[in-house]
Amino acid sequence: MSLLVVTSPHAHGPMSTSRVMGTVLMATLPGVVALTYYFGAGVIVNIVFGGLVALLCESLALLLRKQAVKPFLKDYSALVTSTLLCIALPPYAPWWLLLVGVSFSILIAKHLYGGLGYNPFNPAMVGYVVLLISFPLQMSTWMPPLGVGESVPGLLAALQACFNPESFDAQTMATPLDLMRQNKGLLLSDLYAANPQFGAFQGVGWFAVNAAFLLGGLYLLYKGIFTWHAPVSMLLALSLCALIFYDEGSSASGGSPLFHLFSGATMFGAFFIITDPVSSAVSNRGRLVFGAMIGLLVYTIRVRGNYPDAVAFAVLIANFAAPFIDNYTQPKVYGHGKGKGGSKGSEA
């Protein structure tokens, strides 16, 4: 009788890479719909054009590395990276901005380190930070959301903004996080009254956008794509910081906990960015520390730094610290104790 001999691992997980990536893409749909409703079709144009660039860059990198192209294109990882980056970019971004950001994310942040599974930093956030530092004007150009403006540009206007940006003329305005960071003398109630971008406690439209990404994140938790530790820890740390330093509305106030939870890219970052299994901490205790560190950094950079949204910078700084966090939060192996220098090892 002949027996089939195979190498380890002998146990296979039910979720393949392509299935995980496809589930993540599906979970972004509520947030993408909310962004499109409030900011127009530029969000869709960003994602579609960025996806095409990502597939081309992925194919080029794989060919240069002499690897098979088709299996890696079918795992959707390049599309996830480009989609997450394009969601974070301002709608109606010019084509060259998308090209630079997506190319840097795929070619440099992902393949320069060895491809999928080897990148120490979140590729989408690396591309975002490169664009934010290099092209601050284009990266801060946000359209007024529906509710502040009477309407949002349609698909033809979005295509014109992307491929013929010189001929696209549209009104732009500061985001609520920008206004909060730049406020020097107004009480919060006066700041809210003077700027139509603010709603009851957050920016117009931003509450719905964050609630939609929260919904997508809860779907990913239900599907078991990641554990609750990092996102819950981040949101708790951000809320706690905002609560401690909230002074009920003086001109120096950094904003209430609800403002920080439902403004900018908070929920998007908590459920779609910091949960990257490659560049985050590994153990559950490590994820708690990792998420809390990001929440603390997001609040600090938003209130004291020069970049009001801060999620991308906070994530990259925490990516730096992830190996250090892992070293001190590894689960204790049964029958073994803590070794010297904080690492776990045998007591013998």
Side-chain angles (χ1 to χ4, degrees):
M1 181 176 67
S2 63
L3 298 175
L4 178 64
V5 179
V6 295
T7 60
S8 59
H10 302 292
H12 297 274
M15 296 291 278
S16 63
T17 301
S18 59
R19 190 168 181 180
V20 170
M21 296 296 175
T23 305
V24 172
L25 287 174
M26 187 181 300
T28 63
L29 287 178
V32 170
V33 170
L35 273 171
T36 304
Y37 177 78
Y38 280 101
F39 293 96
V43 180
I44 303 298
V45 174
N46 278 7
I47 292 173
V48 172
F49 181 72
L52 293 174
V53 173
L55 293 177
L56 289 174
C57 291
E58 182 86 350
S59 302
L60 175 63
L62 291 169
L63 289 173
L64 291 174
R65 296 176 58 205
K66 302 185 186 309
Q67 295 191 357
V69 174
K70 191 174 180 180
F72 287 98
L73 290 185
K74 291 174 67 176
D75 67 13
Y76 307 131
S77 61
L79 287 178
V80 167
T81 297
S82 68
T83 300
L84 297 182
L85 172 60
C86 292
I87 285 173
L89 296 179
Y92 312 99
W95 65 269
W96 56 264
L97 193 74
L98 299 168
L99 178 65
V100 172
V102 174
S103 300
F104 201 94
S105 294
I106 299 295
L107 297 176
I108 305 299
K110 180 181 178 182
H111 281 284
L112 193 64
Y113 291 95
L116 180 64
Y118 295 94
N119 50 285
F121 307 103
N122 187 297
M125 292 299 97
V126 172
Y128 183 87
V129 167
V130 167
L131 293 179
L132 190 60
I133 294 174
S134 304
F135 310 102
L137 176 61
Q138 289 79 6
M139 290 294 287
S140 60
T141 304
W142 278 81
M143 303 288 295
L146 187 66
V148 176
E150 293 183 358
S151 62
V152 294
L155 181 59
L156 290 178
L159 291 171
Q160 182 186 26
C162 182
F163 298 107
N164 191 14
E166 292 78 12
S167 63
F168 180 70
D169 186 21
Q171 180 187 3
T172 61
M173 60 174 52
T175 67
L177 283 172
D178 289 323
L179 292 171
M180 184 70 75
R181 178 67 189 89
Q182 295 164 4
N183 180 38
K184 299 299 182 184
L186 294 177
L187 299 175
L188 280 193
S189 57
D190 294 333
L191 182 69
Y192 283 19
N195 295 279
Q197 295 97 315
F198 287 104
F201 59 83
Q202 80 300 319
V204 172
W206 288 108
F207 175 82
V209 169
N210 275 277
F213 280 116
L214 172 61
L215 181 64
L218 294 177
Y219 172 71
L220 292 178
L221 275 174
Y222 168 74
K223 298 295 288 185
I225 302 301
F226 52 75
T227 67
W228 58 268
H229 301 80
V232 170
S233 178
M234 173 196 162
L235 297 176
L236 283 177
L238 178 60
S239 302
L240 186 60
C241 289
L243 182 64
I244 291 174
F245 294 103
Y246 185 54
D247 58 7
E248 299 185 353
S250 77
S251 60
S253 174
S256 69
L258 283 176
F259 174 79
H260 283 280
L261 287 176
F262 292 98
S263 291
T266 300
M267 295 299 173
F268 175 66
F271 290 98
F272 290 89
I273 301 299
I274 76 169
T275 51
D276 176 13
V278 180
S279 57
S280 66
V282 176
S283 68
N284 288 339
R285 282 195 301 163
R287 292 177 184 130
L288 288 172
V289 176
F290 183 79
M293 181 178 180
I294 292 177
L296 175 63
L297 287 169
V298 167
Y299 182 80
T300 303
I301 298 173
R302 276 183 178 178
V303 176
R304 301 297 178 192
N306 290 326
Y307 296 96
D309 195 32
V311 171
F313 285 100
V315 169
L316 293 185
I317 293 172
N319 288 161
F320 269 113
F324 178 81
I325 295 171
D326 284 335
N327 187 52
Y328 285 91
T329 56
Q330 294 177 33
K332 182 179 178 181
V333 179
Y334 182 74
H336 292 66
K338 183 181 293 186
K340 294 181 180 180
S343 62
K344 307 294 188 295
S346 171
E347 291 177 337

